[in-house]
Amino acid sequence: MNWITKIIKAGEKIKTAIHKRATKEEIAKSDWTSCCKGPILKKDLEENLWVCPEPGCKKHHRISPKQRFDILFGKNNYEIFKTPIPKDDPLGFIDSKPYKERLKSARKKTGLDCSMVVAEGSINQIKITAVASDFDFMGASIGAAEGEAFLFAAQHAVDNKQPLLMVATGGGMKMQESSISLSQMTRTTLAINEVKAAGLPYIVLMADPVAGGITASYAMLGDIHIAEPGALIAFAGARVIQGTVKEELPEGFQRSEYVQKTGFVDMIVERKDLAEKIGILISILLNKKPVISTEENETSEDSQSLTKAAS
């Protein structure tokens, strides 16, 4: 075998390897995912609430609304509501492919009608209206359907005198709906005002990532802002900002820990502690019987920080 033949055969092997590379769909259906130290079984990750178990990592992986509600309220211990769905593709938008096709693909992938899901559950025996977004549905971007879901949740909270919890995540507003999408920033803001006018708490939990018009509207209007560790919280992208100010950005810029230091996040809470901390906060805000644990009539440092955040 001469050297030319060897090169040709090596090239064929490379082509075969590239051809056999797993597709996104195959990766999604796999029993494995990846994190700091390489492959990790999804089953093991799920047992740890989809948080990397490595002490030096503890990455909070993105989860679906149903997984989120299971963690907050207990597995299947909640009711999911059917929310209004307006007409698809009101502008007949087409980029590399029609908007209707993108919606069809997202619905098939997630099993949802839109990226927002509204549910009712209980924490500390207090009924809560909760909204959570699915990043797998077109990056949880916001259009008319998501706006309707948020308004449904706000109205349900007011009608039933329940706190409203928003688990915010997503890349911003849907360009495929233009000004219709942008108007959801105003609509959600007005809905939040109604919740607050009814004397009900509006709590925002920011999960990776929160960006664009989401940050510029309902994600930053809470009575309390909670964030998961390491979550990206931004309006414009870091590269855009750096190119504008012509300066190096601080380390950890736009991550939840940095955003907390600058005053836009009240507290960072690990996923395993979210239900407990949210329950305490809601009890304080509703002036319910305190559920804060004390020892020898002394309030813990952790409880003091929660009371401060709620005041």
Side-chain angles (χ1 to χ4, degrees), residues 1-300:
M1 183 186 295
N2 60 34
W3 63 273
I4 296 177
T5 306
K6 288 182 179 179
I7 291 174
I8 291 172
K9 287 194 173 183
E12 288 175 351
K13 287 182 179 180
I14 292 171
K15 285 182 180 179
T16 302
I18 293 173
H19 179 71
K20 289 183 178 179
R21 184 181 295 171
T23 64
K24 287 183 179 180
E25 186 176 346
E26 288 172 335
I27 292 172
K29 291 180 179 179
S30 169
D31 292 333
W32 297 82
T33 187
S34 61
C35 198
C36 57
K37 290 195 173 181
I40 181 172
L41 277 168
K42 289 180 180 177
K43 182 181 178 182
D44 293 339
L45 199 61
E46 183 178 8
E47 288 176 357
N48 201 42
L49 305 182
W50 298 95
V51 177
C52 179
E54 289 296 324
C57 179
K58 290 192 174 181
K59 177 182 177 181
H60 284 54
H61 289 251
R62 294 169 186 168
I63 57 178
S64 69
K66 190 177 186 304
Q67 291 167 329
R68 179 71 64 181
F69 297 144
D70 283 343
I71 292 170
L72 290 173
F73 303 128
K75 197 167 183 63
N76 299 320
N77 192 28
Y78 50 86
E79 179 184 0
I80 291 178
F81 299 109
K82 181 79 173 175
T83 57
I85 300 296
K87 180 181 177 181
D88 288 344
D89 193 16
L91 305 179
F93 193 94
I94 299 175
D95 47 82
S96 58
K97 61 181 177 180
Y99 179 35
K100 283 187 178 180
E101 285 189 21
R102 293 187 183 278
L103 287 172
K104 184 178 179 181
S105 176
R107 285 167 179 163
K108 182 180 179 181
K109 181 179 180 181
T110 63
L112 304 176
D113 292 325
C114 72
S115 68
M116 274 192 185
V117 181
V118 181
E120 179 185 276
S122 296
I123 299 178
N124 286 352
Q125 299 181 331
I126 299 173
K127 286 282 188 181
I128 296 170
T129 302
V131 191
S133 296
D134 194 331
F135 195 82
D136 283 342
F137 195 108
M138 295 185 67
S141 53
I142 306 303
E146 287 76 19
E148 290 296 328
F150 191 98
L151 265 63
F152 178 95
Q155 190 63 57
H156 182 271
V158 172
D159 290 345
N160 294 277
K161 296 180 173 56
Q162 296 175 359
L164 178 59
L165 170 65
M166 177 70 225
V167 184
T169 184
M173 318 313 285
K174 279 191 172 76
M175 67 175 184
Q176 295 90 348
E177 295 187 27
S178 187
S179 59
I180 295 172
S181 173
L182 292 173
S183 70
Q184 308 313 313
M185 297 171 68
T186 305
R187 298 181 77 213
T188 54
T189 299
L190 292 172
I192 292 165
N193 287 344
E194 291 300 312
V195 173
K196 292 183 177 183
L200 300 167
Y202 173 55
I203 297 176
V204 178
L205 167 59
M206 292 179 240
D208 183 71
V210 184
I214 294 174
T215 309
S217 55
Y218 59 83
M220 284 294 175
L221 295 174
D223 297 306
I224 302 289
H225 293 149
I226 306 170
E228 289 189 328
L232 174 69
I233 302 170
F235 177 65
R239 284 182 296 178
V240 174
I241 294 172
Q242 186 164 324
T244 302
V245 300
K246 308 297 182 185
E247 293 179 7
E248 287 294 322
L249 299 176
E251 186 178 352
F253 183 70
Q254 294 183 329
R255 292 293 169 179
S256 53
E257 292 77 9
Y258 180 86
V259 179
Q260 183 188 32
K261 288 180 182 178
T262 55
F264 291 95
V265 165
D266 295 302
M267 61 181 67
I268 297 172
V269 180
E270 291 190 21
R271 194 169 287 167
K272 64 182 176 62
D273 300 321
L274 281 170
E276 177 191 358
K277 298 295 171 64
I278 290 171
I280 292 172
L281 285 168
I282 288 174
S283 296
I284 294 170
L285 292 169
L286 290 177
N287 199 25
K288 297 284 186 180
K289 184 177 180 180
V291 293
I292 300 172
S293 60
T294 59
E295 185 175 354
E296 296 180 359
N297 296 322
E298 290 185 2
T299 306
S300 68

